[in-house]
């Protein structure tokens, strides 16, 4: 142990520094390891969110397709309904004209003589229909004929009801 005290002291300082450096390196390695674990966890979250976004996008596209199909079906049904209503109006007008003719209704003459038709609806109150349906609307004359027929029928019904009540 014939080592000079200065060399011994330098050796001890070097050993202490090496130990401190090793502890510091271990702490840094631990810190890097924790950062890598946190990074892997974040990457896992990002991958999970990307998968979730992909699923959501697929669901949204599916819902958009269903919505478009529903909209197309609704448009078709509205068109069909307008066509059916137009046909119904045409048939009703034809039926009213035939009934008016069968019961000797005045038709156009009654309206021009100042009679007010209960079935006549002003143009601004009529529902708007597609051209195919609105072109087949019955004339105002058939509506006034229906009103005349209704008025005559109600008088006849009231008279017969009164007759049956007085007889009993």
């Amino acid at each position: 142990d014939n080592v000079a005290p200065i060399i011994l002291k330098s050796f001890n300082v070097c050993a202490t520094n090496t130990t401190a450096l090793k502890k510091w390196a271990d702490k840094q390695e631990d810190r890097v390891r924790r950062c890598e674990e946190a990074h892997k966890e974040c990457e896992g979250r990002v991958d999970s969110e990307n998968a979730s976004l992909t699923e959501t996008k697929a669901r949204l596209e599916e819902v958009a397709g269903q919505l478009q199909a529903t909209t197309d079906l609704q448009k078709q049904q509205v068109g069909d309904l307008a066509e059916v209503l137009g046909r119904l109006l045409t048939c009703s007008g034809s039926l009213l004209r035939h009934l008016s003719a069968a019961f000797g209704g005045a038709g156009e003459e009654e309206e021009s003589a100042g009679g007010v038709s209960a079935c006549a609806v002003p143009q601004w109150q009529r529902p708007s229909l597609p051209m195919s349906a609105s072109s087949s609307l019955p004339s105002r004359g058939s509506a006034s004929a229906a009103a005349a027929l209704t008025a005559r029928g109600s008088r006849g019904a009231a008279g017969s009801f009164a007759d049956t009540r007085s007889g009993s």
Side-chain angles (χ1 to χ4, degrees), residues 36-154:
E36 286 176 353
E37 288 175 359
H39 179 72
K40 286 180 183 179
E41 183 180 332
C42 288
E43 281 183 346
R45 287 181 186 172
V46 168
D47 291 342
S48 173
E49 291 300 319
N50 283 340
S52 177
L53 285 174
T54 303
E55 289 176 18
T56 303
K57 182 180 178 184
R59 278 193 235 145
L60 283 174
E61 289 174 356
E62 181 182 336
V63 167
Q66 290 174 351
L67 182 63
Q68 183 63 40
T70 302
T71 302
D72 293 343
L73 180 64
Q74 182 184 16
K75 285 179 183 178
Q76 180 184 1
Q77 288 175 345
V78 165
D80 293 346
L81 180 62
E83 183 180 338
V84 168
L85 288 175
R87 288 180 186 172
L88 180 62
L89 288 172
T90 301
C91 292
S92 297
S94 177
L95 177 67
L96 291 175
R97 280 191 298 276
H98 289 296
L99 286 174
S100 177
F103 288 104
E108 295 282 335
E109 295 86 328
E110 182 179 295
E111 187 175 317
S112 64
V116 178
S117 173
C119 294
V121 177
Q123 180 68 29
W124 61 272
Q125 287 183 341
R126 292 183 188 162
S128 61
L129 296 173
M131 277 313 264
S132 62
S134 65
S135 63
S136 61
L137 291 175
S139 66
R140 286 177 52 99
S142 62
S144 63
L149 180 62
T150 304
R152 288 182 188 157
S154 63

Side-chain angles (χ1 to χ4, degrees), residues 18-37:
T18 304
T19 305
L21 185 61
K22 186 174 180 180
K23 286 181 183 180
W24 178 83
D26 289 342
K27 285 180 182 178
Q28 293 304 317
E29 285 178 1
D30 187 48
R31 183 175 173 201
V32 167
R33 183 185 51 80
R34 284 184 295 184
C35 288
E36 286 176 353
E37 288 175 359

